[in-house]
Amino acid sequence: MPELPDLEAFAANLSHQLKGKKLQQLHVSKNVTTNASESEFKKAVEGQVLSKVYREGKELRMVFKNNNTMGIHFMLRGKFFWFGDKNAHKYTLAEWVFGADKNLTLTDYQANARITLNPAPVQVPDALSKEINEKFLQGILQSKASIKNLLLDQHKIRGIGNAYADEILWDAGISPFSAGNKIPAAAVKTLHKSIKKVLGNAVTKINTAAPGIIGGELRDFLLIHNAARKESPAGAIIKKKMAGGRPTYFTDEQEMYK
DNA sequence: TGGCATGTTGGCGA
DNA sequence: CTCGCCAACATGCC
């Protein structure tokens, strides 16, 4: 449910609050989609000090001093709470006990969130990584698939979700229905700038509006992928089209390349 | 109130 | 083989 900018903020805040603390107990529900048993998780990380929490694509990573790592993917509905939050007891998938007021709960009423012990390295670059440049984007766009679907494809570039794909493509002035392999070089250059700008601005806005946030999502500042808005800043009507079961928001300000 | 929303996977058909 | 589309997951939110 949260997208890249939300997860980026969660990771920084969790790292800030939990780094250096010892994981006293870990509970992993049998309902979790995972690659290891609860006892394997316990053996790997209980009693270990947390080194850091960071984001990779749409996953959070908890790295412990012994280098064992837990990957947490929220899928659609996963959510972190601190123990004591009133919602934290329903649909619990996992609990991390770091100490008195530093206990973390993962909930998901669909039980689709995934926890991975020592996730395998992934070659696909993250949307905010330095590897993303015009040449790289040009490479992944060599397909007649729509540019939006290409940006959403986690096997090509990691971290962009449905809402921010719309936001980025609007910012770049490119129709989401354009064919990837018809995008001219100048538009690819703009796309590169828009990816960094839109995602970067969102991280800043979330951190400013909700210091310490570790769950939920903030979206009210989105300009186009936002049901509350009818027009773009320049006054163009925002259109909505369902595609692949998800809404795509766009305006006529975006050029169609076909 | 009930329509809307977020990611991924796998199967289907064009 | 490549794409787009659909269902499934099952509830919170306004």
Side-chain angles (χ1 to χ4, degrees), chain A residues 37-64:
Chain A
S37 66
E38 182 178 38
S39 62
E40 288 170 320
F41 272 108
K42 284 175 175 286
K43 190 181 285 184
V45 298
E46 269 189 350
Q48 288 295 318
V49 169
L50 185 73
S51 299
K52 64 175 172 178
V53 182
Y54 71 103
R55 179 194 61 79
E56 270 221 30
K58 295 179 189 177
E59 268 194 7
L60 295 186
R61 297 275 169 89
M62 283 185 191
V63 184
F64 292 85

mmCIF file of all heavy atoms in Angstrom, chain A residues 37-64:
data_model
loop_
_atom_site.group_PDB
_atom_site.id
_atom_site.type_symbol
_atom_site.label_atom_id
_atom_site.label_comp_id
_atom_site.label_asym_id
_atom_site.label_seq_id
_atom_site.Cartn_x
_atom_site.Cartn_y
_atom_site.Cartn_z
ATOM 1 N N SER A 37 11.206 -20.879 8.458
ATOM 2 C CA SER A 37 10.311 -21.147 9.582
ATOM 3 C C SER A 37 10.564 -20.120 10.685
ATOM 4 O O SER A 37 11.598 -19.432 10.689
ATOM 5 C CB SER A 37 10.567 -22.548 10.138
ATOM 6 O OG SER A 37 11.858 -22.589 10.713
ATOM 7 N N GLU A 38 9.634 -20.061 11.633
ATOM 8 C CA GLU A 38 9.823 -19.135 12.738
ATOM 9 C C GLU A 38 11.106 -19.473 13.500
ATOM 10 O O GLU A 38 11.855 -18.582 13.893
ATOM 11 C CB GLU A 38 8.619 -19.176 13.685
ATOM 12 C CG GLU A 38 8.783 -18.174 14.823
ATOM 13 C CD GLU A 38 7.597 -18.138 15.768
ATOM 14 O OE1 GLU A 38 7.036 -19.217 16.050
ATOM 15 O OE2 GLU A 38 7.248 -17.040 16.241
ATOM 16 N N SER A 39 11.376 -20.753 13.679
ATOM 17 C CA SER A 39 12.574 -21.121 14.445
ATOM 18 C C SER A 39 13.850 -20.724 13.694
ATOM 19 O O SER A 39 14.845 -20.332 14.305
ATOM 20 C CB SER A 39 12.577 -22.611 14.793
ATOM 21 O OG SER A 39 12.593 -23.389 13.622
ATOM 22 N N GLU A 40 13.812 -20.788 12.369
ATOM 23 C CA GLU A 40 14.985 -20.342 11.596
ATOM 24 C C GLU A 40 15.189 -18.833 11.742
ATOM 25 O O GLU A 40 16.321 -18.353 11.853
ATOM 26 C CB GLU A 40 14.822 -20.722 10.119
ATOM 27 C CG GLU A 40 14.983 -22.214 9.884
ATOM 28 C CD GLU A 40 14.587 -22.660 8.475
ATOM 29 O OE1 GLU A 40 13.576 -22.155 7.929
ATOM 30 O OE2 GLU A 40 15.279 -23.515 7.930
ATOM 31 N N PHE A 41 14.071 -18.088 11.737
ATOM 32 C CA PHE A 41 14.175 -16.635 11.950
ATOM 33 C C PHE A 41 14.754 -16.341 13.327
ATOM 34 O O PHE A 41 15.644 -15.508 13.483
ATOM 35 C CB PHE A 41 12.794 -15.974 11.828
ATOM 36 C CG PHE A 41 12.432 -15.579 10.422
ATOM 37 C CD1 PHE A 41 11.464 -16.288 9.719
ATOM 38 C CD2 PHE A 41 13.046 -14.503 9.804
ATOM 39 C CE1 PHE A 41 11.122 -15.923 8.426
ATOM 40 C CE2 PHE A 41 12.707 -14.126 8.512
ATOM 41 C CZ PHE A 41 11.747 -14.844 7.817
ATOM 42 N N LYS A 42 14.210 -17.035 14.329
ATOM 43 C CA LYS A 42 14.663 -16.784 15.708
ATOM 44 C C LYS A 42 16.152 -17.062 15.841
ATOM 45 O O LYS A 42 16.901 -16.270 16.417
ATOM 46 C CB LYS A 42 13.883 -17.669 16.689
ATOM 47 C CG LYS A 42 12.452 -17.194 16.958
ATOM 48 C CD LYS A 42 11.736 -18.211 17.838
ATOM 49 C CE LYS A 42 10.351 -17.745 18.249
ATOM 50 N NZ LYS A 42 10.402 -16.680 19.270
ATOM 51 N N LYS A 43 16.583 -18.180 15.299
ATOM 52 C CA LYS A 43 17.989 -18.549 15.387
ATOM 53 C C LYS A 43 18.860 -17.493 14.697
ATOM 54 O O LYS A 43 19.959 -17.167 15.139
ATOM 55 C CB LYS A 43 18.207 -19.915 14.727
ATOM 56 C CG LYS A 43 19.581 -20.511 14.978
ATOM 57 C CD LYS A 43 19.742 -21.858 14.284
ATOM 58 C CE LYS A 43 18.999 -22.981 14.992
ATOM 59 N NZ LYS A 43 19.247 -24.298 14.348
ATOM 60 N N ALA A 44 18.340 -16.934 13.617
ATOM 61 C CA ALA A 44 19.142 -15.998 12.817
ATOM 62 C C ALA A 44 19.268 -14.615 13.455
ATOM 63 O O ALA A 44 20.325 -13.981 13.338
ATOM 64 C CB ALA A 44 18.550 -15.863 11.419
ATOM 65 N N VAL A 45 18.201 -14.138 14.113
ATOM 66 C CA VAL A 45 18.248 -12.718 14.526
ATOM 67 C C VAL A 45 17.919 -12.430 15.996
ATOM 68 O O VAL A 45 18.202 -11.329 16.470
ATOM 69 C CB VAL A 45 17.310 -11.861 13.633
ATOM 70 C CG1 VAL A 45 17.762 -11.906 12.176
ATOM 71 C CG2 VAL A 45 15.859 -12.287 13.771
ATOM 72 N N GLU A 46 17.332 -13.376 16.729
ATOM 73 C CA GLU A 46 17.038 -13.077 18.144
ATOM 74 C C GLU A 46 18.344 -12.876 18.903
ATOM 75 O O GLU A 46 19.313 -13.614 18.707
ATOM 76 C CB GLU A 46 16.218 -14.210 18.784
ATOM 77 C CG GLU A 46 14.722 -13.980 18.664
ATOM 78 C CD GLU A 46 13.884 -14.970 19.487
ATOM 79 O OE1 GLU A 46 14.451 -15.950 20.000
ATOM 80 O OE2 GLU A 46 12.670 -14.744 19.582
ATOM 81 N N GLY A 47 18.355 -11.877 19.766
ATOM 82 C CA GLY A 47 19.559 -11.577 20.533
ATOM 83 C C GLY A 47 20.564 -10.721 19.774
ATOM 84 O O GLY A 47 21.592 -10.329 20.320
ATOM 85 N N GLN A 48 20.249 -10.422 18.518
ATOM 86 C CA GLN A 48 21.161 -9.636 17.695
ATOM 87 C C GLN A 48 20.829 -8.142 17.758
ATOM 88 O O GLN A 48 19.668 -7.760 17.886
ATOM 89 C CB GLN A 48 21.080 -10.092 16.239
ATOM 90 C CG GLN A 48 21.707 -11.449 15.983
ATOM 91 C CD GLN A 48 23.212 -11.438 16.233
ATOM 92 O OE1 GLN A 48 23.898 -10.493 15.857
ATOM 93 N NE2 GLN A 48 23.709 -12.481 16.891
ATOM 94 N N VAL A 49 21.855 -7.335 17.615
ATOM 95 C CA VAL A 49 21.675 -5.882 17.587
ATOM 96 C C VAL A 49 21.358 -5.456 16.154
ATOM 97 O O VAL A 49 21.967 -5.941 15.199
ATOM 98 C CB VAL A 49 22.958 -5.180 18.082
ATOM 99 C CG1 VAL A 49 22.891 -3.676 17.814
ATOM 100 C CG2 VAL A 49 23.148 -5.454 19.568
ATOM 101 N N LEU A 50 20.393 -4.558 16.038
ATOM 102 C CA LEU A 50 20.007 -4.068 14.706
ATOM 103 C C LEU A 50 21.027 -3.042 14.209
ATOM 104 O O LEU A 50 21.323 -2.071 14.902
ATOM 105 C CB LEU A 50 18.619 -3.435 14.784
ATOM 106 C CG LEU A 50 18.029 -2.987 13.442
ATOM 107 C CD1 LEU A 50 17.605 -4.191 12.611
ATOM 108 C CD2 LEU A 50 16.849 -2.058 13.654
ATOM 109 N N SER A 51 21.552 -3.274 13.018
ATOM 110 C CA SER A 51 22.523 -2.332 12.442
ATOM 111 C C SER A 51 21.836 -1.190 11.720
ATOM 112 O O SER A 51 22.232 -0.037 11.830
ATOM 113 C CB SER A 51 23.447 -3.038 11.454
ATOM 114 O OG SER A 51 24.170 -4.055 12.093
ATOM 115 N N LYS A 52 20.850 -1.533 10.912
ATOM 116 C CA LYS A 52 20.153 -0.472 10.176
ATOM 117 C C LYS A 52 18.884 -1.015 9.541
ATOM 118 O O LYS A 52 18.692 -2.225 9.414
ATOM 119 C CB LYS A 52 21.046 0.119 9.092
ATOM 120 C CG LYS A 52 21.421 -0.882 8.013
ATOM 121 C CD LYS A 52 22.211 -0.189 6.897
ATOM 122 C CE LYS A 52 22.744 -1.225 5.914
ATOM 123 N NZ LYS A 52 23.476 -0.633 4.800
ATOM 124 N N VAL A 53 18.033 -0.081 9.143
ATOM 125 C CA VAL A 53 16.850 -0.405 8.349
ATOM 126 C C VAL A 53 16.937 0.446 7.089
ATOM 127 O O VAL A 53 17.218 1.642 7.176
ATOM 128 C CB VAL A 53 15.540 -0.066 9.102
ATOM 129 C CG1 VAL A 53 14.324 -0.465 8.271
ATOM 130 C CG2 VAL A 53 15.498 -0.759 10.459
ATOM 131 N N TYR A 54 16.763 -0.179 5.946
ATOM 132 C CA TYR A 54 16.772 0.609 4.718
ATOM 133 C C TYR A 54 15.746 0.054 3.743
ATOM 134 O O TYR A 54 15.127 -0.990 3.983
ATOM 135 C CB TYR A 54 18.178 0.648 4.100
ATOM 136 C CG TYR A 54 18.648 -0.653 3.490
ATOM 137 C CD1 TYR A 54 18.637 -0.836 2.111
ATOM 138 C CD2 TYR A 54 19.104 -1.690 4.285
ATOM 139 C CE1 TYR A 54 19.080 -2.027 1.541
ATOM 140 C CE2 TYR A 54 19.543 -2.881 3.727
ATOM 141 C CZ TYR A 54 19.530 -3.047 2.359
ATOM 142 O OH TYR A 54 19.947 -4.218 1.799
ATOM 143 N N ARG A 55 15.566 0.787 2.644
ATOM 144 C CA ARG A 55 14.574 0.400 1.640
ATOM 145 C C ARG A 55 15.249 -0.093 0.380
ATOM 146 O O ARG A 55 16.266 0.466 -0.042
ATOM 147 C CB ARG A 55 13.697 1.616 1.302
ATOM 148 C CG ARG A 55 12.626 1.356 0.252
ATOM 149 C CD ARG A 55 12.052 2.646 -0.268
ATOM 150 N NE ARG A 55 13.063 3.472 -0.896
ATOM 151 C CZ ARG A 55 13.526 3.277 -2.135
ATOM 152 N NH1 ARG A 55 13.041 2.326 -2.895
ATOM 153 N NH2 ARG A 55 14.464 4.070 -2.615
ATOM 154 N N GLU A 56 14.707 -1.137 -0.189
ATOM 155 C CA GLU A 56 15.161 -1.606 -1.507
ATOM 156 C C GLU A 56 13.929 -1.854 -2.333
ATOM 157 O O GLU A 56 13.144 -2.750 -2.014
ATOM 158 C CB GLU A 56 15.927 -2.933 -1.372
ATOM 159 C CG GLU A 56 17.395 -2.757 -1.170
ATOM 160 C CD GLU A 56 18.212 -3.776 -1.966
ATOM 161 O OE1 GLU A 56 17.776 -4.230 -3.041
ATOM 162 O OE2 GLU A 56 19.277 -4.099 -1.470
ATOM 163 N N GLY A 57 13.736 -1.070 -3.376
ATOM 164 C CA GLY A 57 12.502 -1.208 -4.141
ATOM 165 C C GLY A 57 11.317 -0.973 -3.212
ATOM 166 O O GLY A 57 11.276 0.021 -2.487
ATOM 167 N N LYS A 58 10.375 -1.888 -3.190
ATOM 168 C CA LYS A 58 9.219 -1.735 -2.314
ATOM 169 C C LYS A 58 9.362 -2.566 -1.040
ATOM 170 O O LYS A 58 8.376 -2.853 -0.367
ATOM 171 C CB LYS A 58 7.940 -2.134 -3.062
ATOM 172 C CG LYS A 58 7.635 -1.219 -4.236
ATOM 173 C CD LYS A 58 6.387 -1.637 -4.966
ATOM 174 C CE LYS A 58 6.247 -0.830 -6.258
ATOM 175 N NZ LYS A 58 5.082 -1.257 -7.045
ATOM 176 N N GLU A 59 10.590 -2.992 -0.742
ATOM 177 C CA GLU A 59 10.841 -3.767 0.471
ATOM 178 C C GLU A 59 11.607 -2.951 1.489
ATOM 179 O O GLU A 59 12.421 -2.111 1.133
ATOM 180 C CB GLU A 59 11.704 -4.995 0.157
ATOM 181 C CG GLU A 59 10.935 -6.234 -0.161
ATOM 182 C CD GLU A 59 11.853 -7.467 -0.111
ATOM 183 O OE1 GLU A 59 13.023 -7.365 0.295
ATOM 184 O OE2 GLU A 59 11.363 -8.529 -0.485
ATOM 185 N N LEU A 60 11.346 -3.260 2.780
ATOM 186 C CA LEU A 60 12.216 -2.746 3.829
ATOM 187 C C LEU A 60 13.182 -3.852 4.206
ATOM 188 O O LEU A 60 12.850 -5.028 4.123
ATOM 189 C CB LEU A 60 11.402 -2.332 5.058
ATOM 190 C CG LEU A 60 10.441 -1.165 4.867
ATOM 191 C CD1 LEU A 60 9.828 -0.783 6.215
ATOM 192 C CD2 LEU A 60 11.144 0.033 4.261
ATOM 193 N N ARG A 61 14.381 -3.471 4.606
ATOM 194 C CA ARG A 61 15.385 -4.446 5.028
ATOM 195 C C ARG A 61 15.867 -4.101 6.422
ATOM 196 O O ARG A 61 16.286 -2.965 6.664
ATOM 197 C CB ARG A 61 16.588 -4.424 4.063
ATOM 198 C CG ARG A 61 16.247 -4.819 2.636
ATOM 199 C CD ARG A 61 16.278 -6.325 2.468
ATOM 200 N NE ARG A 61 15.704 -6.747 1.201
ATOM 201 C CZ ARG A 61 16.396 -6.872 0.072
ATOM 202 N NH1 ARG A 61 17.674 -6.598 0.073
ATOM 203 N NH2 ARG A 61 15.810 -7.281 -1.025
ATOM 204 N N MET A 62 15.808 -5.089 7.311
ATOM 205 C CA MET A 62 16.400 -4.933 8.645
ATOM 206 C C MET A 62 17.681 -5.741 8.660
ATOM 207 O O MET A 62 17.656 -6.959 8.505
ATOM 208 C CB MET A 62 15.487 -5.531 9.717
ATOM 209 C CG MET A 62 14.292 -4.716 10.091
ATOM 210 S SD MET A 62 13.464 -5.568 11.461
ATOM 211 C CE MET A 62 11.944 -4.626 11.512
ATOM 212 N N VAL A 63 18.797 -5.044 8.870
ATOM 213 C CA VAL A 63 20.092 -5.720 8.876
ATOM 214 C C VAL A 63 20.612 -5.797 10.313
ATOM 215 O O VAL A 63 20.655 -4.781 11.011
ATOM 216 C CB VAL A 63 21.114 -4.969 8.008
ATOM 217 C CG1 VAL A 63 22.422 -5.744 7.937
ATOM 218 C CG2 VAL A 63 20.554 -4.732 6.614
ATOM 219 N N PHE A 64 20.991 -7.001 10.735
ATOM 220 C CA PHE A 64 21.501 -7.187 12.093
ATOM 221 C C PHE A 64 23.020 -7.301 12.080
ATOM 222 O O PHE A 64 23.640 -7.524 11.039
ATOM 223 C CB PHE A 64 20.853 -8.424 12.717
ATOM 224 C CG PHE A 64 19.381 -8.233 12.966
ATOM 225 C CD1 PHE A 64 18.451 -8.479 11.961
ATOM 226 C CD2 PHE A 64 18.923 -7.765 14.193
ATOM 227 C CE1 PHE A 64 17.089 -8.271 12.177
ATOM 228 C CE2 PHE A 64 17.565 -7.554 14.407
ATOM 229 C CZ PHE A 64 16.646 -7.807 13.400
#
